[in-house]
Amino acid sequence: MMVRAMKRFLLCLALFAWLSPAQAHKPSDSYLSIDVRGQQIAGQWDIALRDLDFAIGLDGNGDGELTWDEIRARHAAIAAYALQRLQVASGAGPCPLQVTQQLIDDHTDGAYNVLRFHGLCPGAAPSSLSIGYTLFADLDPQHKGLLKLSSDGHMQTAIFDPDSPRQTLSLTAPSRLAQFGAYVKHGIWHIWIGYDHILFLLSLLLPAVLLPAARERQQGLKAAFFDVLKVVTAFTLAHSITLTLASLSVISLPSRWVESAIAASVVLAALNNLFPLFRGRRPVAAFVFGLIHGFGFASVLLDLGLPQSSLVASLFGFNVGVEIGQLAIVAVFLPLAWLLRKTWFYRQLMTVGSLLIAIIAAIWLLERVADIKLISG
């Protein structure tokens, strides 16, 4: 029964790898910033153009390319669609919102429509806000809304999805423990939806249970565990360094370079399972490429923002969340892979699965380097 479950799990991983290139790096999300000053609300909402095109249609001539004229012609429809799916209220009642400007901005995963809006809450200055978020809830159950809420110099964050569409947030200064917990949650979520990070990690883990016969007889699962531990530790140390440096703006690299290098790292990690590129030095490779992946982790953290009042705690919390998400993947994969290590299925997974990952990552690499679309939506 356990072996059958493992086969299903690994088959799902293979299907996941094949179906994920349309996202290339992450599934649908939007970035919502709200600043509250007394009764006044000012905000900005970045929504992916590809998602809006799918939801309400922006490509007027159907040629697969969005122009500024096509987007501008749909500004009223975009504003109406978005604001119908965002409700803000204080204790005294709803705070009506109105879009004041629409722009275009580039994120690491494509172009976004930027809605700037303002609102006015009834009564006195609110002490808390109730926010309802249902953008794309009927179209994409994986969609997330990342909120950054500022008030009187204090900042806090929240994640909205179809399972948690409404949240009430206090406008008083949040505790450092609460902020730490929020960023841990962000870190876990980010590693679980970072398809290229996951495929890189899995590519390095696949050979861990295929030990030489003599070593397996002597140490068994223990040897595989320590092999995985060395790889994961090297990856963790490396991406923690660059995540911190990038998040604190000590080092800044163009996102296109970073995303391209991450795709290249996935290609090389997968090909190493077919040809001995690293020659037994997977921990070294994990460290080197982990430095690049750290910049990728930092991109979402920069979009979220770091509260200056608890900068270190929030940064540390995000890193802890990334590690929890990463270790959860390892904890599921390693014991099940060990059970199937001698089967024909696992050998095929090593070869066919690694080849599939390499092909997908090569497509990502070409798209990111050349800034073109091959299979991405």
Side-chain angles (χ1 to χ4, degrees):
M1 182 67 77
M2 182 65 74
V3 172
R4 185 179 301 172
M6 173 58 179
K7 288 183 178 181
R8 289 176 179 173
F9 170 74
L10 293 179
L11 182 59
C12 286
L13 284 179
L15 290 173
F16 159 82
W18 178 249
L19 293 173
S20 64
Q23 280 77 26
H25 178 235
K26 57 185 180 180
S28 167
D29 51 33
S30 77
Y31 301 92
L32 176 62
S33 299
I34 295 178
D35 183 32
V36 182
R37 298 185 181 183
Q39 297 172 260
Q40 300 286 334
I41 291 177
Q44 177 172 309
W45 197 358
D46 293 19
I47 307 173
L49 284 173
R50 63 177 182 275
D51 295 334
L52 288 169
D53 185 34
F54 178 76
I56 61 175
L58 304 180
D59 186 6
N61 58 14
D63 65 352
E65 298 291 335
L66 292 178
T67 66
W68 171 243
D69 287 339
E70 288 175 327
I71 297 168
R72 185 172 54 186
R74 299 288 284 162
H75 272 178
I78 292 172
Y81 181 83
L83 292 187
Q84 286 174 2
R85 289 156 178 81
L86 178 65
Q87 301 84 39
V88 179
S90 66
C95 307
L97 303 177
Q98 181 179 357
V99 172
T100 58
Q101 188 179 22
Q102 295 193 51
L103 306 168
I104 301 295
D105 193 13
D106 287 323
H107 288 243
T108 57
D109 59 334
Y112 279 60
N113 193 78
V114 178
L115 288 88
R116 291 180 177 170
F117 59 87
H118 70 75
L120 180 67
C121 291
S127 59
S128 66
L129 285 182
S130 174
I131 300 176
Y133 180 104
T134 56
L135 185 70
F136 305 129
D138 55 336
L139 301 175
D140 183 2
Q142 301 301 316
H143 176 79
K144 298 286 192 300
L146 280 65
L147 169 69
K148 180 170 63 177
L149 178 64
S150 302
S151 177
D152 295 328
H154 305 297
M155 192 188 79
Q156 55 186 308
T157 60
I159 298 177
F160 292 87
D161 58 32
D163 293 327
S164 54
R166 181 169 294 277
Q167 300 181 41
T168 299
L169 302 174
S170 173
L171 298 181
T172 59
S175 70
R176 293 195 175 188
L177 181 60
Q179 284 189 328
F180 176 82
Y183 277 87
V184 169
K185 182 179 179 182
H186 289 315
I188 294 173
W189 171 74
H190 182 62
I191 189 65
W192 283 351
I193 56 87
Y195 294 149
D196 39 14
H197 302 306
I198 292 176
L199 293 184
F200 175 77
L201 184 61
L202 290 177
S203 296
L204 292 178
L205 294 182
L206 280 170
V209 297
L210 302 178
L211 302 171
R215 191 179 180 198
E216 181 173 326
R217 285 195 300 269
Q218 292 176 358
Q219 296 179 293
L221 181 59
K222 181 180 178 181
F225 171 79
F226 279 108
D227 184 74
V228 169
L229 182 64
K230 289 187 289 186
V231 169
V232 172
T233 300
F235 185 60
T236 296
L237 289 175
H239 74 62
S240 296
I241 293 171
T242 48
L243 168 62
T244 301
L245 293 176
S247 299
L248 298 178
S249 300
V250 176
I251 299 177
S252 179
L253 296 179
S255 61
R256 186 171 166 187
W257 293 7
V258 172
E259 297 300 321
S260 299
I262 289 174
S265 74
V266 180
V267 173
L268 294 175
L271 290 179
N272 180 66
N273 296 334
L274 304 174
F275 312 99
L277 300 177
F278 306 150
R279 298 189 180 278
R281 297 180 179 177
R282 287 182 298 117
V284 175
F287 184 87
V288 172
F289 291 128
L291 294 172
I292 300 298
H293 282 249
F295 288 105
F297 292 137
S299 65
V300 72
L301 194 54
L302 292 173
D303 283 323
L304 277 170
L306 282 168
Q308 297 301 309
S309 59
S310 57
L311 183 70
V312 175
S314 299
L315 178 58
F316 180 65
F318 185 84
N319 210 12
V320 167
V322 169
E323 302 320 314
I324 292 174
Q326 182 175 281
L327 291 175
I329 295 171
V330 173
V332 172
F333 176 83
L334 181 59
L336 296 177
W338 177 259
L339 291 176
L340 281 184
R341 68 194 184 283
K342 295 181 179 180
T343 65
W344 173 88
F345 175 81
Y346 198 84
R347 298 285 178 174
Q348 292 298 309
L349 183 67
M350 269 287 294
T351 55
V352 178
S354 296
L355 180 61
L356 180 62
I357 291 173
I359 292 173
I360 291 170
I363 295 173
W364 291 345
L365 177 59
L366 180 58
E367 288 185 330
R368 296 172 186 184
V369 169
D371 193 22
I372 59 176
K373 292 182 179 182
L374 296 177
I375 55 176
S376 296

